[in-house]
Amino acid sequence: MDKTGLVLEGGANRGIFTAGVLDYFREQGWYTPYVVSVSIGSCNAMDYVSRQIGRTKSCMLPNGRNAPPIHWKHLRHKKTMVDMDLVFDTYPNQTVPFDYDTYFASDIISEYVVTNCISGRAEYLTEAKDRRRLMTIGRASCSMPYISPMVTLDGVPYLDGGIADAIPLRRAIKMGYKKNIVILTREKGYIKKDSRAARLLNKKFYSEYPQLVRQLEHKFYEYNETLRYVESLESKGQVLLIRPSKILAGRMDNKPAHLEAFYKQGYEMAKARSEEIRSFLYGGAF
């Protein structure tokens, strides 16, 4: 397991599938030495490193405590459907406490992908001491284009890491982890398509950031190429790929029944593949 990495894709509320998978991992005591994550995958990664079983699910499915992070009710006060203050302040510091002490004491290296809006390139940030900075990095990684404001960190504006590196497998390999578990939130056969509407939005929202616009216009091609790369390494036994058999909740879907079902699919899939996962982690036959 010493050289096994964990790569987590984003996908907004589809990330509850990943939460189910990782809750099973935590129950089994499966912790890799390295995690690299994008967007909602960053929330999953934080809770994985802090060893908090069920926390991601509790944040995404608050069970009547308040509106979930993605909800039309936030439009009235936040002017966006995504309440980042809830996710990265109220929840971790008040209503769904995040275990900062366990997180910072962990030996796991956890990198969060963000997109530098000036260069248009991916950056891989980490934090081992500062609580506020950690949550700011998470907020930046999750700040979806068009519907979330840029997040400034050290004077640099950032947006969702999925713009520049949606499946950061190459980063894990570059960091020395030749064998990786990759958790996706799309089903097999999915192909990301170019969008004329998105191109218009890019120029409307980000005309002052030409490199960001360029990256947004190329992300479809890069995603599909990276997905082919992931699958090629899977065929060689260098990647263990976990992804949904069927999408049960969309990225902006906040229906509790849908989210609960998708979480359960992730958990049960990990459980059904437990021997395969254990062999991959501990170097047995695969």
Side-chain angles (χ1 to χ4, degrees), residues 40-100:
I40 187 62
S42 296
C43 296
N44 274 300
M46 287 183 184
D47 294 336
Y48 177 73
V49 177
S50 69
R51 299 181 176 241
Q52 291 177 270
I53 296 173
R55 184 179 182 276
T56 313
K57 181 185 178 184
S58 294
C59 292
M60 298 181 74
L61 242 172
N63 294 321
R65 182 171 53 247
N66 47 253
I70 298 178
H71 199 282
W72 64 267
K73 290 182 179 179
H74 300 315
L75 287 169
R76 180 177 179 183
H77 300 292
K78 299 291 180 178
K79 309 302 180 185
T80 175
M81 284 185 66
V82 184
D83 189 341
M84 290 294 193
D85 293 331
L86 186 67
V87 179
F88 295 105
D89 186 5
T90 305
Y91 276 173
N93 299 317
Q94 298 177 41
T95 54
V96 193
F98 179 74
D99 190 342
Y100 291 100

Side-chain angles (χ1 to χ4, degrees), residues 17 242-245 264-274:
F17 170 83
I242 301 175
R243 56 184 166 189
S245 57
K264 185 176 181 181
Q265 182 188 138
Y267 182 92
E268 293 299 330
M269 183 175 290
K271 183 177 181 181
R273 297 178 64 183
S274 61

Side-chain angles (χ1 to χ4, degrees), residues 115-130:
T115 299
N116 183 315
C117 297
I118 297 172
S119 69
R121 296 178 179 177
E123 294 183 11
Y124 307 88
L125 305 182
T126 188
E127 179 54 51
K129 295 180 180 180
D130 190 316

Side-chain angles (χ1 to χ4, degrees), residues 33 79 86 92 151 185 199 214 216 244 260:
K79 309 302 180 185
L86 186 67
V151 174
T185 61
R199 287 177 180 271
R214 182 179 181 277
L216 282 163
E260 182 70 46

Side-chain angles (χ1 to χ4, degrees), residues 27-43:
E27 289 178 2
Q28 303 306 306
W30 294 339
Y31 290 95
T32 61
Y34 173 80
V35 186
V36 60
S37 55
V38 182
S39 199
I40 187 62
S42 296
C43 296

Side-chain angles (χ1 to χ4, degrees), residues 26-270:
R26 280 180 285 243
E27 289 178 2
Q28 303 306 306
W30 294 339
Y31 290 95
T32 61
Y34 173 80
V35 186
V36 60
S37 55
V38 182
S39 199
I40 187 62
S42 296
C43 296
N44 274 300
M46 287 183 184
D47 294 336
Y48 177 73
V49 177
S50 69
R51 299 181 176 241
Q52 291 177 270
I53 296 173
R55 184 179 182 276
T56 313
K57 181 185 178 184
S58 294
C59 292
M60 298 181 74
L61 242 172
N63 294 321
R65 182 171 53 247
N66 47 253
I70 298 178
H71 199 282
W72 64 267
K73 290 182 179 179
H74 300 315
L75 287 169
R76 180 177 179 183
H77 300 292
K78 299 291 180 178
K79 309 302 180 185
T80 175
M81 284 185 66
V82 184
D83 189 341
M84 290 294 193
D85 293 331
L86 186 67
V87 179
F88 295 105
D89 186 5
T90 305
Y91 276 173
N93 299 317
Q94 298 177 41
T95 54
V96 193
F98 179 74
D99 190 342
Y100 291 100
D101 292 338
T102 297
Y103 181 93
F104 289 136
S106 177
D107 292 330
I108 297 172
I109 299 170
S110 186
E111 292 192 315
Y112 304 96
V113 188
V114 295
T115 299
N116 183 315
C117 297
I118 297 172
S119 69
R121 296 178 179 177
E123 294 183 11
Y124 307 88
L125 305 182
T126 188
E127 179 54 51
K129 295 180 180 180
D130 190 316
R131 296 184 176 196
R132 180 176 293 180
R133 182 179 174 84
L134 175 65
M135 290 300 159
T136 301
I137 291 172
R139 184 189 292 247
S141 184
C142 290
S143 291
M144 293 183 285
Y146 321 127
I147 65 173
S148 298
M150 294 177 180
V151 174
T152 300
L153 187 64
D154 299 330
V156 178
Y158 292 105
L159 277 175
D160 196 310
I163 297 170
D165 194 357
I167 309 173
L169 175 59
R170 286 186 173 89
R171 174 64 179 182
I173 294 171
K174 183 178 181 180
M175 291 292 289
Y177 300 90
K178 305 301 183 184
K179 195 168 69 167
N180 290 278
I181 295 176
V182 179
I183 304 179
L184 303 181
T185 61
R186 289 284 196 182
E187 73 279 23
K188 186 175 183 178
Y190 172 76
I191 297 175
K192 190 178 287 291
K193 297 179 180 179
D194 198 351
S195 167
R196 184 173 181 275
R199 287 177 180 271
L200 293 173
L201 287 173
N202 296 340
K203 294 174 182 177
K204 176 180 175 60
F205 280 83
Y206 306 121
S207 60
E208 296 179 10
Y209 300 90
Q211 295 304 316
L212 176 63
V213 170
R214 182 179 181 277
Q215 181 58 40
L216 282 163
E217 293 181 350
H218 283 82
K219 71 173 186 174
F220 305 95
Y221 309 108
E222 292 180 4
Y223 180 90
N224 294 332
E225 189 279 327
T226 301
L227 190 55
R228 289 191 292 269
Y229 178 64
V230 171
E231 292 173 344
S232 73
L233 292 189
E234 180 190 27
S235 68
K236 298 175 183 177
Q238 296 170 23
V239 160
L240 190 148
L241 182 54
I242 301 175
R243 56 184 166 189
S245 57
K246 183 179 181 181
I247 302 300
L248 302 179
R251 66 199 303 262
M252 305 301 282
D253 188 343
N254 53 46
K255 295 181 180 178
H258 294 179
L259 296 173
E260 182 70 46
F262 208 20
Y263 168 87
K264 185 176 181 181
Q265 182 188 138
Y267 182 92
E268 293 299 330
M269 183 175 290

